[in-house]
Amino acid sequence: MVNDKKTGSFFTPEALACSVIAHLNRYLSEVDRADLVVLEPSVGEGAFLQAFAGSEAATRLRSMDAVDIEPAFISECKNTPFFGTEINYFCEDFIGFDGRADGYDVILGNP
């Protein structure tokens, strides 16, 4: 898919998503946590999901909430393989998203 000016969508390039996850991996190498709860508030085409799936951080993941307002993006992202990881998909506007009552350890997003 391409960036959509009509909806304000800007899709994260693969290289940027991999760079963000590489920084996360470096941070996690200094932290003794094995039960991370992650939020991806605008999942789009799933660039962060794909980069995350093959990373060291994925081995420390307890669950992830992935949100997008566009049903086609949620449907597409459900095909990203995460073995043994709970991924909750929410098709709604993130502005109105309540999220987890106990919060998140990591929030992924395009800087």
Side-chain angles (χ1 to χ4, degrees), residues 51-87:
F52 200 88
S55 75
E56 170 66 24
T59 65
R60 297 173 179 227
L61 184 67
R62 178 176 51 163
S63 69
M64 179 184 287
D65 288 352
V67 182
D68 206 285
I69 196 168
E70 181 60 50
F73 297 152
I74 295 294
S75 180
E76 182 178 329
C77 289
K78 286 182 176 180
N79 294 322
T80 300
F82 274 102
F83 303 105
T85 299
E86 175 189 344
I87 302 221

Side-chain angles (χ1 to χ4, degrees), residues 7-12 20-21 24 37-49 52 63-71 73-74 77 87-100 103-111:
T7 63
S9 298
F10 179 82
F11 302 111
T12 305
V20 169
I21 298 303
L24 176 61
V37 179
V38 176
L39 170 64
E40 213 302 16
S42 54
V43 72
E45 294 180 312
F48 287 111
L49 291 182
F52 200 88
S63 69
M64 179 184 287
D65 288 352
V67 182
D68 206 285
I69 196 168
E70 181 60 50
F73 297 152
I74 295 294
C77 289
I87 302 221
N88 305 299
Y89 294 96
F90 299 90
C91 187
E92 61 184 275
D93 188 338
F94 178 69
I95 299 299
F97 180 67
D98 289 330
R100 298 174 57 93
Y104 296 92
D105 300 304
V106 175
I107 300 174
L108 297 173
N110 190 335

Side-chain angles (χ1 to χ4, degrees), residues 10-26:
F10 179 82
F11 302 111
T12 305
E14 179 182 352
L16 178 57
C18 290
S19 177
V20 169
I21 298 303
H23 284 287
L24 176 61
N25 284 330
R26 281 194 293 279

